[in-house]
Amino acid sequence: MCGIVGYIGTQAATEILLSGLEKLEYRGYDSAGIATIWEGEVNCVRAKGKLHNLRSKLEAVEAPAQIGIGHTRWATHGKPEEYNAHPHMDTAMRVAVVQNGIIENYRELRQDLKQKGYVFRSETDTEVIPHLIAEFLKNPPSSQLAQCSSPFFEAVRQAVNKLKGAFAIACVCADFPDELIAIRQQAPLVIGFGQGEFFCASDTPAIVSHTRAVLTLENGEMARLTPLGVEIYNFAGDRLKKQPRLLNLSPMMVEKQGFKHFMLKEIYEQPGVVRACLEAYFTNDINAPINLSLPAEFYDDLEQIQILACGTSWHAALIGKYLIEQLAGIPTQVQYASEFRYAPSPLTANTLTIGVTQSGETADTLAALAMEKERRSALELKYQPRLLGITNRPESTLGEMVSQIINIHGGLEIGVAATKTFIAQLMAFYALALDLAYRRQTISPDKLEDIINSLRQIPKEIEATLERQENLIEQLAHDFAETTDFIFVGRGINFPIALEGALKLKEVSYIHAEGYPAGEMKHGPIALLDAKVPVVAIAMPGNVYEKVLSNAQEAKARDSRLIGVTPVNDGEAAEIFNDLLPVSNVDELLSPILTVIPLQLLAYHIAARRGLDVDQPRNLAKSVTVE
Ligand code: AGP
């Protein structure tokens, strides 16, 4: 969480920092601040709340500085107040620091620095960093240890070596106005290379309108940015040789392109995302119909699969489990990464562990995978590195951690609520389950061909489904804008869609919503139902269709208004449900790719009607990089 940005060059830094922070606001928006250096002083301006508050404050400030750092915060240590907002400064107000992550040993450091006379002005863990840097500037080590002659760089390096935790940092000092130092230790940080200007940022959208040449820092690396260029070092101070790469991202992709919100734009991008996945995962070669580029060892003697994930990715994993078990016959467990860390299931030989994370940066998922990696190395496994990541960001920390990646090709997702990346994760699971089934011969070639052909029809069915919903859902959103509780039910492969529908509604509209397996309602939750609690049921023809319809009737008998996500032109459903959200009639196995769409739109339109900030819901951040 938290977004950091830095600039050094020939243009006015303030606007560049602010526009960079705008693109990083998805990472946190409790407060924001920037620090620039001008005429030998640090000018630090901070504001509680969203970035527009900082922008208004800065309107009154003259801004000719050509170097600066900025931060948008998701509060961890200390309330979201201005005094806790970054940048933080040392006692003499010469050093300014922004940080994303957590400094685990900040209490000891703070104690020690206080005893040395440093004055703390915030409750944050970050504030120890500027004081530590100031201390090393005042008392440098007797011999210069780094291959860099800058005293500022050396003081920062000494300070960083005292820190424990996961962090990305950018810092500047009024006494060294031509240097910006950026550090990465288990929190993302990219360096951007322009013409006589250089950038650092937590994520590429912050700098893509200035340059597409970027270098992703690795853990344990520091960059020294000056107007002349960028030098990269490790924490021991050795200079490293690194080359930037060209980003496959255009400034257009980070704009709303006529949509009112990113969430809506991203929902409408889903047909294109599925097309990209189809292109990447499936071939026309009958001898190798699926192309995931996984080594053959991944499939050998596989006895069990465990999937670790959080939030929406966990819901996608539940559908993955259904597909893998039903198509390939491999027992599969899905665990919340945050729970698994402290109570892992016994690890058996020949287990494939899969981490699912859109951002590739979710702290709980990464920590659970790191633990699995370690547990594996302690066992004599036939094939050690059987760790697979499913992610939208192959260049993320996840990418460094696992031996193989499936890229979900979701494209950049800016809305905090995951929509198109959920569908992309589903596509990755269809490909994986079919690949496992094909190689283990648990599916006939005809059935495989059938499913792949049906998947190829899905993009146009999503388009048709989107078109069908437009007016229907806006009307429902009007009716439900004041509703306080919602229940979502589904069964089988559509039970996780009920969970996802409820999560989307909670996240963006702040309405209390629960997802249940439809058959469980009568075991307790049915007591919640009355005329004020609408029930959304997902009822697609297949294994459990009649069962879901009966469960829906049970809810109707308790006066709930019933909304059905059902196949188009379904007479039976029309008689039961008060309102219909029709989707194309596809095989039950593929139906989740369609049934989630009306639920995404329902959540979006209710939130929009309630006048809420759909793309940046309260208390949330897109990538949760703290435990
Ligand atoms: C999705 O709408 C949520 N914002 C959230 O649950 C998210 O899915 C979760 O934090 C996991 O993120 P990840 O996929 O980046 O690991």
Side-chain angles (χ1 to χ4, degrees), residues 310-313 356-359 362 416-418 425 503-504 507 624:
C310 302
T312 287
S313 296
V356 189
T357 160
Q358 181 282 126
S359 61
T362 297
V416 164
Q425 287 170 337
L503 177 65
K504 285 290 90 90
E507 279 189 295
V624 184

Side-chain angles (χ1 to χ4, degrees), residues 105-121:
N105 58 336
Y106 83 101
R107 281 191 194 81
E108 303 100 89
L109 294 170
R110 190 176 169 114
Q111 195 58 26
D112 190 40
L113 287 158
K114 270 185 169 174
Q115 273 163 10
K116 289 186 172 132
Y118 289 92
V119 179
F120 281 77
R121 307 179 188 97

